[in-house]
Amino acid sequence: MACPIFLLVLLTYSSVVTAEIVEHHFLVQNLTLTRLCQQEVITVVNGEFPGPTIEVHEGDTLVVHVFNESPYNVTIHWHGVFQLRSGWADGPEYVTQCPILPGNKYTYRFDITGQEGTLWWHAHSQWLRATVYGALIIRPRNGHSYSFPKPLEEFQILLGEWWNSSIIEIENQALSDGHGPNISNAFTINGQPGDLYDCSSHGTYRLKVIQGETYLLRIINAALNNQLFFKIANHTMTVVAVDACYTNPLVSDIVVIAPGQTVDVLLTADQPLASYYMAAHPYDSLGFEYDKTTTTGIIIYENTTSSSPLMPILPAFNDTATAFKFYSNLTSLVNGPFWAPVPLKIDKHMFVTEGLGLVPCGANNTCTAFLGMQFAASMNNESFELPTKLSMLEASFYNLTSGIYTTDFPDYPPLVFNYTDKSNSLNISLVIPSRSTRVTKLKFNSTVQIVFQNTALVGAENHPIHLHGHNFYVLAQGFGNYDDVIGPKMFNLINPQKRSTYGVPVGGWAVIRFTANNPGVWLMHCHVDTHLVWGLATAFVVEDGPTPSTSLPPPPPDLPICSFSSKQIRSSNKGGDNAKSIFVGIETSGIAL
Ligand SMILES: *[C@@H]1O[C@H](CO)[C@@H](O)[C@H](O)[C@H]1NC(C)=O
Ligand SMILES: *[C@@H]1O[C@H](CO)[C@@H](O)[C@H](O)[C@H]1NC(C)=O
Ligand SMILES: *[C@@H]1O[C@H](CO)[C@@H](O)[C@H](O)[C@H]1NC(C)=O
Ligand SMILES: *[C@@H]1O[C@H](CO)[C@@H](O)[C@H](O)[C@H]1NC(C)=O
Ligand SMILES: *[C@@H]1O[C@H](CO)[C@@H](O)[C@H](O)[C@H]1NC(C)=O
Ligand SMILES: *[C@@H]1O[C@H](CO)[C@@H](O)[C@H](O)[C@H]1NC(C)=O
Ligand SMILES: *[C@@H]1O[C@H](CO)[C@@H](O)[C@H](O)[C@H]1NC(C)=O
Ligand SMILES: *[C@@H]1O[C@H](CO)[C@@H](O)[C@H](O)[C@H]1NC(C)=O
Ligand SMILES: *[C@@H]1O[C@H](CO)[C@@H](O)[C@H](O)[C@H]1NC(C)=O
Ligand SMILES: *[C@@H]1O[C@H](CO)[C@@H](O)[C@H](O)[C@H]1NC(C)=O
Ligand SMILES: *[C@@H]1O[C@H](CO)[C@@H](O)[C@H](O)[C@H]1NC(C)=O
Ligand SMILES: *[C@@H]1O[C@H](CO)[C@@H](O)[C@H](O)[C@H]1NC(C)=O
Ligand SMILES: [Cu+2]
């Protein structure tokens, strides 16, 4: 097993504050391992599954050299990291960069400022994040402490999803058949399915605790397509942070976690000496086919003599009431670090419907899904397509957006109808979205409020929406159609939870607010990967601010290229405004991108 090459360089030093450069080398490569009684070749980082944990302090600079030794195009996303003025390092393929081709490399370089807690990193190309993921832990900078009592030890609990096939084959097959992907064969805790699956109990994740002590569990949902219920037999947990934002302590016997989200909990070993299962299975709001299996790990009290762990009772797969209660009951710790009050003046209002749809069957596809069509998904009836000739961020930076994206994403749905009425589910005049790469341009530092309204088209479902480059406040949520008289009265403007991923309730709505303080191109999408490739996405182009310190610097020289012509554009780049005018010249002189 290869070890990550790890290097610390002292950059500055004072009595209170130290900022370091934390450097890693990520080799993306094949790994053959056995799960569920059979061998599988998967894509991983540094021969580890899950991948290496990155540990930094707030204020550090992270430098990760990614070498792609895998057979696939790869990019890495640093999920939840603000990437202030470092959008070139955000990672989603064709949004902020072209993919790193097999045999190539790219160095991600960015500062981690103004946030601490649990985040994670994952591939953001095809469905490779199924196995290309790991934890990214941001601890308070020296001299600072957590907003909660210091735990004895910290453990990360990475929840994942496993197929006993190549995930790329699963994806390709789903896209060409036009239906949902094959359901997974297992869920995993730190890469292990656990005792309830065949051939798996030898590897089950085990966590040792001492009676009376308190531990921090950093729970990450790295599953591709499933929200999860997570419980520990006979124990409650105290939530202290979500998505690297401190929360008021919330005591709960359950954690509900959507793909992309993180939840930090304190666990006190306050039960009799014994061993206890931690277990996770899906919260499935749709009710089509899904993986109904349960992954487990074991918490073992020191000096226990009992050998058979107690099993928690998980909620029913469709227990929306439990999911809603957990998701909506979180509030921010307003006297904790990095809190900023909710902006009260809104510069831009948006109302975004989201949900599934159907599009005509692709040329060589088989399309066994509804009405002989294939699945799609959309926001405001626009099904998002990634460009392939140039990344959107380069297009924005060089003012070469023609053929890459347009800035006319609608602020409101094109058609008003009863969004949550299930009798519309297969209404042919409503279910077929347009395909486009439409985005929204935002002035630097403008404030945005979005009402997300889930539809019942094709199937009503909870969609976990992730915004890159920003955290947002979750002001309110509910079921049915959003009512703009009742809704605002429900807003929590005092201590709403802050997140970068939020599950909009099935057949319901949620209202978020954020400040566009980060110049760049930022994807906003459903973190269910199946829905992302079907088009449940859009992006924000946040303009530069008035000063160099509020503007996006030029791309790093090793930013991967999509094609020869984008290389040509880059090679004549000297950076800055001068460069921009040169590229406009190239475009108007007719060089095809
Ligand atoms: C990695 O695995 C894939 C799929 O099994 C295979 O096609 C490829 O040759 C392997 N590459 C290397 C370098 O082993
Ligand atoms: C998906 O499931 C079908 C039906 O069980 C199976 O025939 C097919 O091989 C599976 N696809 C992959 C890529 O494993
Ligand atoms: C896949 O995983 C299941 C367990 O869910 C197992 O029963 C099966 O044998 C595995 N292999 C294949 C080829 O389906
Ligand atoms: C765990 O909880 C169950 C039911 O609440 C109880 O019957 C059992 O005695 C408890 N076990 C331990 C070891 O505390
Ligand atoms: C476990 O047992 C050993 C030996 O009896 C003892 O030294 C140790 O303190 C015990 N640990 C706990 C947490 O009780
Ligand atoms: C949940 O599923 C069960 C069957 O598995 C069904 O009886 C029940 O009505 C469902 N509940 C909801 C809220 O859909
Ligand atoms: C969670 O909800 C309960 C009532 O359902 C309430 O008493 C409690 O204060 C809430 N906790 C938080 C942190 O909002
Ligand atoms: C469909 O398949 C044919 C024959 O394999 C191929 O020539 C054509 O390019 C394919 N079309 C698309 C859109 O993939
Ligand atoms: C960007 O391009 C458009 C159309 O080609 C042009 O009108 C505009 O002035 C350009 N902006 C900059 C900053 O170069
Ligand atoms: C929308 O549809 C729901 C479910 O069918 C229904 O209960 C509700 O009354 C409808 N709303 C309006 C305004 O028609
Ligand atoms: C952003 O807007 C806020 C509130 O309007 C203002 O206080 C702040 O100075 C602005 N920040 C920048 C960098 O312009
Ligand atoms: C890999 O990336 C290159 C450059 O963007 C692209 O031409 C190619 O189609 C990509 N391959 C796949 C399998 O997506
Ligand atoms: Cu979704």
Side-chain angles (χ1 to χ4, degrees):
M1 190 181 281
C3 284
I5 301 157
F6 191 86
L7 178 74
L8 296 176
V9 180
L10 219 55
L11 185 68
T12 61
Y13 185 84
S14 76
S15 58
V16 191
V17 175
T18 63
E20 292 171 340
I21 296 178
V22 177
E23 195 164 359
H24 283 258
H25 290 74
F26 271 23
L27 309 184
V28 184
Q29 51 197 196
N30 281 354
L31 175 71
T32 305
L33 83 180
T34 302
R35 289 286 184 280
L36 307 178
C37 324
Q38 74 178 53
Q39 275 201 344
E40 213 57 66
V41 179
I42 61 170
T43 309
V44 299
V45 168
N46 295 347
E48 298 174 43
F49 178 65
T53 299
I54 293 181
E55 296 178 81
V56 297
H57 291 96
E58 192 271 326
D60 288 351
T61 297
L62 184 57
V63 178
V64 185
H65 308 283
V66 176
F67 300 83
N68 184 5
E69 297 176 351
S70 86
Y72 309 112
N73 288 353
V74 166
T75 67
I76 306 287
H77 169 54
W78 317 92
H79 186 106
V81 173
F82 292 144
Q83 299 290 2
L84 279 169
R85 298 179 61 240
S86 55
W88 303 109
D90 190 43
E93 71 173 349
Y94 302 114
V95 179
T96 62
Q97 68 166 101
C98 296
I100 311 170
L101 301 185
N104 287 46
K105 61 184 201 295
Y106 177 49
T107 297
Y108 293 85
R109 196 183 299 267
F110 50 95
D111 298 336
I112 296 190
T113 41
Q115 52 188 165
E116 61 195 37
T118 306
L119 293 175
W120 60 300
W121 55 266
H122 62 77
H124 213 302
S125 36
Q126 295 182 273
W127 288 356
L128 287 174
R129 77 172 179 84
T131 55
V132 180
Y133 65 82
L136 198 174
I137 294 170
I138 310 168
R139 297 206 171 82
R141 61 175 78 194
N142 288 355
H144 296 244
S145 51
Y146 294 131
S147 75
F148 46 82
K150 195 178 180 342
L152 182 67
E153 271 184 275
E154 304 180 3
F155 300 98
Q156 64 246 17
I157 307 289
L158 284 138
L159 305 173
E161 194 168 4
W162 181 267
W163 281 259
N164 52 16
S165 293
S166 144
I167 193 65
I168 297 293
E169 277 172 39
I170 295 282
E171 177 182 7
N172 290 342
Q173 193 174 57
L175 292 176
S176 68
D177 287 356
H179 60 54
N182 282 10
I183 59 170
S184 50
N185 297 96
F187 296 99
T188 55
I189 293 178
N190 294 336
Q192 293 290 346
D195 290 1
L196 306 187
Y197 298 90
D198 290 344
C199 316
S200 300
S201 52
H202 63 284
T204 301
Y205 175 66
R206 287 172 168 78
L207 189 165
K208 293 206 172 71
V209 297
I210 295 172
Q211 197 177 41
E213 296 291 348
T214 296
Y215 301 85
L216 178 65
L217 305 188
R218 301 174 179 275
I219 307 167
I220 298 167
N221 187 349
L224 213 57
N225 294 327
N226 280 280
Q227 311 202 20
L228 294 165
F229 289 122
F230 175 86
K231 279 183 92 163
I232 300 171
N234 291 53
H235 288 76
T236 60
M237 296 169 271
T238 303
V239 179
V240 290
V242 295
D243 296 3
C245 298
Y246 289 115
T247 63
N248 286 311
L250 175 71
V251 177
S252 178
D253 65 349
I254 191 158
V255 163
V256 192
I257 185 165
Q261 292 185 325
T262 74
V263 179
D264 289 359
V265 301
L266 294 174
L267 172 72
T268 299
D270 57 4
Q271 294 299 306
L273 293 188
S275 51
Y276 301 86
Y277 276 122
M278 58 176 99
H281 81 191
Y283 159 50
D284 183 88
S285 57
L286 181 65
F288 288 170
E289 250 197 332
Y290 57 96
D291 181 347
K292 298 185 176 65
T293 64
T294 300
T295 180
T296 55
I298 307 175
I299 293 176
I300 303 164
Y301 277 56
E302 187 173 296
N303 290 349
T304 188
T305 48
S306 98
S307 55
S308 50
L310 288 147
M311 186 68 186
I313 297 166
L314 289 160
F317 297 110
N318 60 359
D319 190 346
T320 288
T322 294
F324 185 84
K325 178 159 186 281
F326 182 83
Y327 284 150
S328 63
N329 203 5
L330 292 160
T331 52
S332 280
L333 187 70
V334 300
N335 56 0
F338 314 117
W339 170 256
V342 183
L344 299 177
K345 181 182 149 286
I346 310 299
D347 297 313
K348 188 174 184 68
H349 284 271
M350 297 176 77
F351 185 104
V352 177
T353 56
E354 50 183 33
L356 305 183
L358 297 169
V359 289
C361 192
N364 292 340
N365 296 357
T366 45
C367 298
T368 50
F370 296 98
L371 309 174
M373 298 204 274
Q374 65 183 55
F375 282 125
S378 66
M379 287 185 167
N380 276 349
N381 207 41
E382 298 295 330
S383 186
F384 188 79
E385 290 190 310
L386 287 169
T388 55
K389 293 174 181 156
L390 194 64
S391 74
M392 298 170 73
L393 187 55
E394 286 175 284
S396 165
F397 187 80
Y398 296 129
N399 200 7
L400 291 175
T401 57
S402 166
I404 305 299
Y405 65 77
T406 56
T407 55
D408 55 351
F409 181 80
D411 291 347
Y412 292 90
L415 197 64
V416 174
F417 60 100
N418 189 339
Y419 307 114
T420 53
D421 185 352
K422 286 190 171 139
S423 68
N424 281 329
S425 281
L426 290 177
N427 181 336
I428 199 75
S429 69
L430 296 173
V431 293
I432 306 179
S434 313
R435 285 169 145 168
S436 66
T437 312
R438 294 189 176 186
V439 308
T440 303
K441 212 174 210 183
L442 296 174
K443 289 263 177 270
F444 176 76
N445 209 21
S446 58
T447 51
V448 183
Q449 176 173 302
I450 308 176
V451 177
F452 288 112
Q453 174 68 60
N454 275 333
T455 71
L457 298 179
V458 181
E461 188 168 4
N462 178 311
H463 295 282
I465 301 299
H466 175 49
L467 174 62
H468 287 233
H470 304 79
N471 285 341
F472 50 76
Y473 303 88
V474 184
L475 304 185
Q477 57 277 303
F479 295 103
N481 297 315
Y482 178 72
D483 181 310
D484 56 14
V485 176
I486 299 167
K489 293 180 184 151
M490 297 167 67
F491 287 1
N492 176 355
L493 299 171
I494 307 299
N495 64 359
Q497 60 181 300
K498 283 193 91 171
R499 304 203 78 133
S500 58
T501 307
Y502 192 68
V504 181
V506 52
W509 53 270
V511 182
I512 69 158
R513 237 177 238 190
F514 68 97
T515 301
N517 63 350
N518 192 5
V521 178
W522 306 107
L523 196 63
M524 181 172 75
H525 63 97
C526 181
H527 216 274
V528 169
D529 266 25
T530 303
H531 298 174
L532 173 57
V533 296
W534 288 348
L536 218 168
T538 183
F540 290 103
V541 175
V542 180
E543 293 177 338
D544 281 343
T547 59
S549 70
T550 53
S551 300
L552 180 71
D558 61 337
L559 186 73
I561 56 163
C562 280
S563 62
F564 173 74
S565 50
S566 73
K567 182 178 183 180
Q568 198 173 33
I569 288 165
R570 196 92 52 74
S571 67
S572 50
N573 174 17
K574 302 290 177 285
D577 292 341
N578 186 34
K580 287 197 186 185
S581 59
I582 293 171
F583 305 132
V584 173
I586 289 174
E587 187 189 39
T588 51
S589 74
I591 293 175
L593 284 173

